[in-house]
Amino acid sequence: MTTPTTRLTVTVWDRPDAAPRTWELIAHDGNGNEEEDAAGTHPDPGGAISAIAAATRPFEPVPRDAMCTQIYGGPQRARIEGVWRGQPVSASYDKHNGCEIARWKALSAVLDA
């Protein structure tokens, strides 16, 4: 058995006073079937891994100089921490403006499970 190169903890708060929901995602990289061998406590590990793989810079914050619409999308917050394809990641998500809402939507299969 090979060591997983992806091991992520996903934590989502639906509102500030809510208890968080937490899932784990585990996958092995290098075999070309990362989504097929995905595991963990997430309700859809394969779908979550696929969403992260398909997203453009899924763990990068919104650039400081980005022009974002000032639309409030809700109080939800999330964190993804761990290792993605052998690289450490620590990312925060919310819905406080249009740019952040777009980041959340790109990972909706991960965060809205």
Side-chain angles (χ1 to χ4, degrees):
M1 183 172 190
T2 60
T3 303
T5 58
T6 292
R7 183 177 293 270
L8 299 171
T9 300
V10 179
T11 306
V12 178
W13 294 265
D14 291 321
R15 53 183 199 282
D17 60 338
R21 294 178 287 141
T22 302
W23 304 290
E24 187 173 51
L25 288 168
I26 301 166
H28 300 80
D29 190 30
N31 61 9
N33 297 314
E34 195 173 49
E35 294 85 1
E36 291 178 19
D37 71 12
T41 58
H42 192 279
D44 181 9
I49 293 292
S50 292
I52 295 169
T56 304
R57 298 186 339 249
F59 307 114
E60 297 292 321
V62 173
R64 289 181 166 262
D65 61 349
M67 300 281 286
C68 303
T69 58
Q70 296 305 303
I71 298 171
Y72 180 70
Q76 296 87 349
R77 293 182 304 122
R79 286 206 52 78
I80 298 177
E81 296 180 303
V83 177
W84 171 256
R85 295 179 174 170
Q87 299 299 312
V89 297
S90 180
S92 296
Y93 305 84
D94 61 46
K95 295 181 175 182
H96 292 136
N97 64 46
C99 295
E100 294 293 353
I101 292 169
R103 285 180 74 226
W104 190 288
K105 283 183 179 180
L107 296 182
S108 64
V110 181
L111 304 176
D112 289 330

